[in-house]
Every structure is written in structure tokens, then in C-alpha cells.
């Protein structure tokens, strides 16, 4: 063949740049399920099913459109287990003139690809991934010479350059950011929307069987499996969100409720990140909904900010700062990740809910990730690498380019404040305000120290005390540090003793 076009598992978009100017008569597409990628962290079973099934469906769609697709299944006898091995085998089989691929979402894989040209002895063209609003070099240009790389500034530039929610050169409604309206706690509601769910078809059923056999030791519940696995299904799921949940998306964005796994969230990140949905398209649809009076501005702006702002910004940071970024540990976290992250077996109701639904669905919404599991790990001084590997493994939407900056930067402050201007920490009070978890918890959120007190309370002050050198002069922490300094010594000591006793129990592997 002329070109061998490699399509990776998160490149399931018909307009992917590797297919540009390709010719179904002359070129062959290669897709491969490889063990190295499925196991380098112990991915959640549902995540593996989602990706393999979506890949198989995409390959089928390409064939239906007239392409020749060489698809290597995980169990194929000669499967070498790595991308490189599969490309090598395909080159031998098909003797192409060159290999074409869209850049991967992970530094490790890109580094490996850069050697292929020499190793294979033929041209390897690595193309920019044009599915994003902002490519790595444009981000670098934005970042160049700036003292601070704040998301908000980047986001405003992106609003201007795309024209999304812009009225002339002004932001719609006159303000750039309606976040202040997006912090309401939610109430239990019989009419809470649910994401659209899909029955597994024969292809998905095959993959379910494969994963059950081959990834038995991986975490997570395999069934019920209800994710979209094709672009048409993912679009239906997104339209369902537009009709049922977008209206309240902004207002309850930070809320958490017992048993409510999705609230008014879109539950589309796995689809976006695998390429089944286009970020440009979903943003345009939300702008349309706003101008058709189908949602308020705080919902539309809040949603656009997540995708046009945060999602693009974390990707920019990732490519700007790798590979060193993955090893940063500004607060020197060193505690192993507690075992309950893998089992949900803890008496802290908030953690139990967040981890429990993660194991069930390979999904938790942002505030659960940030202010429950992330907050706890940060307060407890867990090694950020272990935290990162957990997030990368357990969520269906997790790829290093998006997961690492969110975990290591935003959630664990391990980059020393490059991404977040202050650590996202809180005592039990915030969790109580934003959720109904605490009412149903074995711990008492109002009790500050001692037996039965919510562990977040003492851990919070212990964290601030422990990190006074690094964080004591942070202007955004001025208030809590002033409160801490004003506290009588014996009160301080009670907090510190309480935290110490809790961490000792944690380290001893006792149930906490
Ligand atoms: P919604 O709340 O409905 O938001 C809509 C969309 O906005 C999401 O689908 C997502 O594409 C985008 N978005 C929102 N926040 C972010 C963000 N901070 N960064 C990037 N995109 C964002 N998101 C991932 O896609 N993959 C990850 O591996 C991932 N890891 C995270 C780890 C931590 C510690 C934290 C705090 C956040 C992480 N996020 C990650 C961001 C966010 O939590 C998820 O994108 C979101 O929960 C996905 O659910 P949703 O589709 O219902 O999102």
C-alpha cells in the first residue's frame, strides 16, 4: 500500500488529521488493541470495554465507508502487545511507502513514535491533532513570557479567537464568567435526569466477555455496561443532556448528592476524549441552545468554560511542561494511597460515595474528584504519583494529557501553584454545605477533634500547619492562616493530635 495510517484508540473521529488526503484505494488503516496500553495502569474494566468496543465499531464504520482496515484484536495470535510491534508487523505485511499517524495524547507514546522513522527505515509522518481549539504550539505562544499561566486569561483569549458566546468584542451578557451563580447545593429530586443509556450489542458483548476473562484482576464493575460506543450514540447522549440537564448544569455544577451519580452533568468526557464527540460541535450546540432560550447564560457559559477553557488549558499545560511535570511534588507528599481508594471501604460517607460510584461507573463528577477524593489525598499528604495513577486508572475519560494536570496540578498542588492559585482543600464544612453526605456519615462534621469527629476537620488545619513554609504567604490563604495563627495553642494542639491519631490509624491499615 501507499500509506499505512495508524489510528489510536482515542482517535475515533472520521475527520482525524491522519485521514486527511487519504485514499481508500491506496491506503490501509491499522488499528490495534494492545496489552501494553491496556495494562500500564490497571484501567477500570468499563474503561477497557468502552475503548475496545468503540474502536471495533469505528473500524466497522470505516470499512462501511470503503476503507481497508487491518484491525488487530487483543486475542489475535500474533498480536505483539504494543503499538510499535503492531506497526512493525503491518509494515512487513503491507510494505507501505510511509506511516501516517495523528499525534497521541501522551508524551510517553509520542516519544516512542519519534523513533519509529529510524527503527522502521521509512518516513513516519506525525500530524497535529486538529480536534482541539488550541494546538500545543499556539499554547506555547500564549504562555511565552507570561509570569502566570492562569486559565481565566487563556479562556478569554479563546472566547475572542473562536467568537463563542461573544457579541462583537464583548462577552455575551457583559461578563466573562458566571461562576458565582454556579455554587448551589442540590436537593433530592424524583425528576433528576439520568444520562442516556445503551444496551450492549453483539460487538460490545464480545468485548465484555474478553475483558471479563483477560482483565479479571482489574478494578471496577463490568456490568451493567451502558456507555455509548458509536458517534451516533454519543451524539444522542449529548442531545439528551441538552434537552434534560443543561438548563441546571451551571447552577448545580458544584453540588453533590447521595446516590445521585450524575446530577446535571453532561457525562460526555469519555466520548469527547475518545473522539466520538467533537468539542467544537458540542460548544456550538450549547451556544445555539442559549440563543434559542433553552438554557440560561450561567449554564451555557459554565459549560463552554469547561471545554473551551479548562479542557484546552490543561492540554496546553501538559505539552508545555512534560516530561518533568509528571515528577513534580512541591508539597513532598509521600504517603501511599490508602487502600480504600480501590474498595470504597471507609466510614467517611463522602469518600465512600465518590469511590463507590467510581468503581460502579468509571465516573465521578468534578467536585467529587476535586473536593472529596482529591482533597482527602492532598490533606493526608499522599504521594502525587500514586494519586495520579489512581485517577488515570479508574475513570473512563482518563488519558494522561487531561488527567495529569487536573490531578497533579489542580488537585494536588504538586506543581507548586502553576495551575491553581491555591490548593483545593477544605474541612468537612464545605462538603457538608455542598452535599447531603454528612447527614448520613458515621463521623460528625460539626465535631472538630477527637473520637467521631469528621477527619477532614483536623486534617485541614494539620495540612496548613505542615505547609506554613510553602503556603503561609499565599495571599489566597491569608484568611485561614490568620485564623490558625489566632487560635489558642491548646486548640491548635488538639487539631494536630487529632490529625496525628487519624493518620496513624490510616497508616496501620485500620478502617477509617
Ligand atoms: P461536565 O461537568 O458535564 O463538564 C462538561 C465537559 O467539560 C466535560 O465532559 C469535560 O470534557 C470538560 N471539563 C470539565 N472540567 C474539566 C477539566 N477540569 N479539565 C478538562 N476538561 C474538563 N477530565 C477528563 O476528561 N479526564 C480525566 O482524566 C480527568 N481527570 C480529573 C482528575 C481530577 C483530580 C479532577 C479534579 C478532574 C479531572 N477531570 C478529568 C475533569 C472533570 O472532572 C471531568 O472532565 C468531568 O467530571 C467529566 O464529567 P462530565 O462529562 O459529566 O463533565
Amino acid at each position: 500500500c501507499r500509506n499505512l495510517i495508524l489510528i489510536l484508540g482515542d482517535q475515533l473521529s472520521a475527520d482525524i488529521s491522519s485521514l486527511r488526503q487519504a485514499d481508500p484505494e491506496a491506503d490501509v488503516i491499522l488499528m490495534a488493541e494492545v496489552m501494553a496500553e491496556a495494562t500500564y495502569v490497571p484501567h477500570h474494566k468499563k474503561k477497557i470495554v468502552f475503548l475496545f468496543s468503540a474502536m471495533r465499531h469505528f473500524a466497522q464504520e470505516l470499512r462501511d465507508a470503503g476503507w481497508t482496515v487491518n484491525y488487530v484484536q487483543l486475542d489475535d495470535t500474533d498480536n505483539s502487545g504494543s503499538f510499535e510491534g503492531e506497526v512493525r508487523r503491518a509494515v512487513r505485511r503491507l510494505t507501505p511507502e510511509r506511516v501516517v499517524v495523528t499525534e497521541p495524547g501522551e508524551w510517553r507514546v509520542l516519544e516512542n513514535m519519534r523513533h519509529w522513522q529510524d527503527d522502521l527505515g521509512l518516513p513516519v509522518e506525525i500530524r497535529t491533532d486538529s480536534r482541539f481549539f488550541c494546538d500545543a504550539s499556539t499554547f506555547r505562544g500564549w504562555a511565552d513570557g507570561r509570569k502566570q499561566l492562569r486559565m481565566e486569561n487563556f479562556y478569554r483569549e479563546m472566547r475572542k479567537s473562536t467568537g463563542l458566546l461573544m457579541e462583537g468584542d464583548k462577552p455575551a451578557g457583559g461578563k466573562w464568567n458566571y461562576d458565582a451563580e454556579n455554587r448551589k447545593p442540590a436537593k433530592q429530586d424524583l425528576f433528576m435526569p439520568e444520562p442516556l443509556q445503551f444496551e450492549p450489542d453483539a460487538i460490545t458483548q464480545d468485548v465484555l466477555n474478553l475483558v471479563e476473562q483477560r482483565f479479571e484482576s482489574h478494578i471496577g464493575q463490568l456490568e451493567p455496561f451502558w456507555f455509548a460506543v458509536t458517534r451516533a450514540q454519543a451524539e444522542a447522549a449529548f442531545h439528551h443532556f441538552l434537552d434534560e440537564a443543561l438548563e441546571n448544569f451551571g447552577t448545580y455544577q458544584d453540588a453533590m448528592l447521595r446516590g445521585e451519580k450524575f446530577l446535571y452533568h453532561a457525562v460526555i468526557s469519555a466520548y469527547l476524549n475518545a473522539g466520538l464527540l467533537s468539542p467544537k460541535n458540542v460548544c456550538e450546540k450549547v451556544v445555539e441552545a442559549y440563543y434559542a432560550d433553552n438554557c440560561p447564560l450561567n449554564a451555557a457559559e459554565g459549560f463552554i468554560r469547561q471545554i473551551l477553557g479548562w479542557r484546552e488549558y490543561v492540554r496546553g499545560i501538559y505539552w508545555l511542561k512534560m516530561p518533568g511535570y509528571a515528577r513534580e511534588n512541591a508539597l513532598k507528599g509521600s504517603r501511599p494511597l490508602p487502600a480504600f481508594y480501590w474498595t470504597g471501604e471507609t466510614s467517611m460517607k463522602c469518600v465512600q460515595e465518590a469511590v463507590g460510584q467510581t468503581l460502579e461507573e468509571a465516573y465521578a463528577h468534578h467536585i467529587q474528584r476535586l473536593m472529596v477524593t482529591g482533597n482527602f489525598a492532598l490533606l493526608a499528604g499522599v504521594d502525587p504519583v500514586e494519586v495520579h495513577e489512581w485517577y488515570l486508572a479508574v475513570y473512563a475519560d482518563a488519558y494522561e494529557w487531561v488527567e495529569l494536570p487536573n490531578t497533579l496540578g489542580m488537585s494536588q498542588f504538586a506543581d507548586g501553584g502553576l495551575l491553581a492559585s491555591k490548593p483545593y482543600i477544605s474541612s468537612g464544612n464545605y462538603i457538608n454545605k455542598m452535599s447531603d453526605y454528612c447527614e448520613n456519615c458515621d463521623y460528625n462534621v460539626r465535631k472538630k477533634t477527637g473520637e467521631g469527629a469528621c477527619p477532614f476537620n483536623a486534617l485541614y488545619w494539620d495540612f496548613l500547619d505542615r505547609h506554613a513554609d510553602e503556603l503561609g504567604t499565599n495571599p489566597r490563604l491569608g484568611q485561614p492562616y490568620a485564623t490558625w495563627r489566632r487560635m489558642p495553642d491548646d486548640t491548635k494542639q488538639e487539631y494536630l493530635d487529632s490529625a496525628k491519631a487519624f493518620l496513624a490509624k490510616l497508616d496501620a491499615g485500620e478502617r477509617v
Side-chain angles (χ1 to χ4, degrees):
C1 73
R2 187 187 64 168
N3 293 331
L4 175 67
I5 301 169
L6 173 65
I7 296 186
L8 305 176
D10 58 354
Q11 299 182 342
L12 310 181
S13 318
D15 62 351
I16 191 81
S17 59
S18 54
L19 286 176
R20 210 167 287 150
Q21 288 133 19
D23 176 0
E25 301 294 320
D27 302 333
V28 172
I29 293 171
L30 172 67
M31 296 178 72
E33 299 168 1
V34 295
M35 210 56 178
E37 297 304 314
T39 54
Y40 84 102
V41 292
H43 299 289
H44 194 296
K45 288 178 186 145
K46 274 203 168 108
K47 181 183 189 180
I48 304 178
V49 175
F50 165 65
L51 271 173
F52 286 180
S53 176
M55 285 170 69
R56 291 182 187 193
H57 281 92
F58 187 69
Q60 193 54 51
E61 284 171 15
L62 290 170
R63 286 194 186 108
D64 292 346
W67 294 95
T68 304
V69 183
N70 278 201
Y71 191 98
V72 184
Q73 296 198 345
L74 189 86
D75 270 349
D76 285 357
T77 35
D78 296 332
N79 188 335
S80 63
S82 72
F83 288 140
E84 198 182 348
E86 285 317 292
V87 170
R88 191 181 298 280
R89 283 205 312 135
V91 165
R92 243 182 257 138
R93 204 164 56 232
L94 302 161
T95 57
E97 289 164 26
R98 57 179 187 157
V99 174
V100 177
V101 62
T102 293
E103 60 189 348
E106 201 161 319
W107 192 86
R108 172 185 61 89
V109 180
L110 180 61
E111 270 304 288
N112 179 263
M113 266 179 193
R114 288 199 171 121
H115 298 288
W116 289 1
Q117 178 146 320
D118 286 344
D119 294 353
L120 295 167
L122 83 174
V124 175
E125 187 188 337
I126 303 173
R127 294 185 181 169
T128 302
D129 192 340
S130 57
R131 295 173 299 172
F132 291 88
F133 288 98
C134 176
D135 61 35
S137 63
T138 309
F139 189 86
R140 198 161 281 131
W142 173 78
D144 203 25
R146 271 172 203 267
K147 273 215 199 85
Q148 286 195 319
L149 304 180
R150 291 286 166 247
M151 198 296 287
E152 188 65 29
N153 301 330
F154 170 77
Y155 168 58
R156 291 180 190 185
E157 294 294 319
M158 294 301 290
R159 289 274 295 277
K160 287 183 207 154
S161 70
T162 59
L164 285 167
L165 279 184
M166 294 296 290
E167 291 168 357
D169 56 1
K170 299 249 159 28
K175 284 201 296 184
W176 291 103
N177 183 320
Y178 293 84
D179 219 14
E181 294 168 33
N182 291 357
R183 291 176 190 144
K184 273 222 179 91
K187 287 205 181 69
Q188 291 288 353
D189 179 354
L190 287 176
F191 303 104
M192 191 73 74
E194 283 267 304
L196 200 57
Q197 310 201 350
F198 302 88
E199 280 289 320
D201 64 3
I203 294 180
T204 303
Q205 198 53 58
D206 277 350
V207 178
L208 282 163
N209 296 340
L210 173 80
V211 171
E212 192 168 21
Q213 286 162 18
R214 299 293 304 275
F215 299 94
E216 208 198 338
S217 65
H218 285 217
I219 48 108
Q221 220 170 286
L222 189 58
E223 289 178 287
F225 181 87
W226 51 266
F227 293 169
V229 289
T230 63
R231 187 173 67 113
Q233 287 180 340
E235 282 181 351
F238 176 62
H239 279 103
H240 178 80
F241 161 75
L242 289 176
D243 294 342
E244 304 293 329
L246 173 63
E247 194 182 350
N248 287 312
F249 170 84
T251 309
Y252 300 114
Q253 207 176 341
D254 288 0
M256 300 177 281
L257 278 181
R258 225 166 5 110
E260 290 297 341
K261 298 183 263 197
F262 311 104
L263 288 135
Y264 300 95
H265 291 277
V267 198
I268 55 165
S269 46
Y271 309 150
L272 277 170
N273 297 349
L276 298 182
L277 288 177
S278 138
K280 292 174 189 162
N281 188 260
V282 302
C283 286
E284 278 160 14
K285 286 281 186 305
V286 166
V287 171
E288 265 171 40
Y290 168 64
Y291 284 108
D293 272 340
N294 290 334
C295 73
L297 186 53
N298 68 312
E301 190 281 316
F303 186 88
I304 300 276
R305 177 150 32 88
Q306 304 312 314
I307 297 199
L308 180 65
W310 279 111
R311 187 171 184 271
E312 297 286 327
Y313 169 78
V314 296
R315 182 171 183 266
I317 294 281
Y318 178 80
W319 288 112
L320 187 68
K321 294 292 172 184
M322 281 301 279
Y325 199 68
R327 291 189 296 272
E328 290 192 22
N329 188 0
L331 299 179
K332 303 196 172 56
S334 60
R335 183 163 266 111
L337 189 74
F340 60 69
Y341 275 78
W342 301 104
T343 62
E345 285 166 17
T346 163
S347 301
M348 294 179 281
K349 188 70 189 167
C350 54
V351 179
Q352 203 185 88
E353 288 268 326
V355 173
Q357 74 167 70
T358 298
L359 295 174
E360 278 168 35
E361 307 288 5
Y363 178 88
H365 57 75
H366 189 68
I367 290 298
Q368 293 178 307
R369 298 187 202 196
L370 188 64
M371 297 312 293
V372 179
T373 43
N375 186 14
F376 183 87
L378 179 56
L379 293 180
V382 177
D383 180 347
V385 171
E386 295 208 9
V387 184
H388 150 59
E389 287 178 351
W390 182 78
Y391 279 96
L392 188 59
V394 300
Y395 292 112
D397 58 25
Y399 301 85
E400 203 177 80
W401 65 267
V402 53
E403 178 278 327
L404 185 71
N406 268 301
T407 303
L408 191 135
M410 187 188 313
S411 163
Q412 300 301 299
F413 207 74
D415 63 7
L418 175 79
L419 206 141
S421 54
K422 73 175 177 68
Y424 282 95
I425 47 168
S426 79
S427 65
N429 194 27
Y430 172 85
I431 296 171
N432 190 31
K433 196 172 80 191
M434 296 312 298
S435 79
D436 62 356
Y437 295 154
C438 305
E439 298 156 31
N440 299 279
C441 184
D442 293 348
Y443 292 107
N444 181 351
V445 68
R446 287 181 194 84
K447 192 162 184 250
K448 305 292 182 204
T449 57
E451 199 60 29
C454 168
F456 284 83
N457 292 337
L459 288 177
Y460 175 78
W461 293 113
D462 185 61
F463 173 90
L464 287 177
D465 184 58
R466 208 164 68 229
H467 294 301
D469 285 350
E470 299 102 321
L471 302 172
T473 56
N474 182 318
R476 295 202 59 203
L477 291 173
Q479 210 188 359
Y481 270 111
T483 307
W484 177 242
R485 285 179 200 119
R486 275 200 308 270
M487 255 184 228
D489 284 347
D490 52 346
T491 311
K492 281 186 184 166
Q493 199 54 50
E494 271 175 45
Y495 277 120
L496 299 180
D497 290 345
S498 232
K500 197 169 166 196
F502 176 82
L503 292 171
K505 261 177 102 172
L506 186 71
D507 292 343
E510 287 172 42
R511 185 182 169 102
V512 293

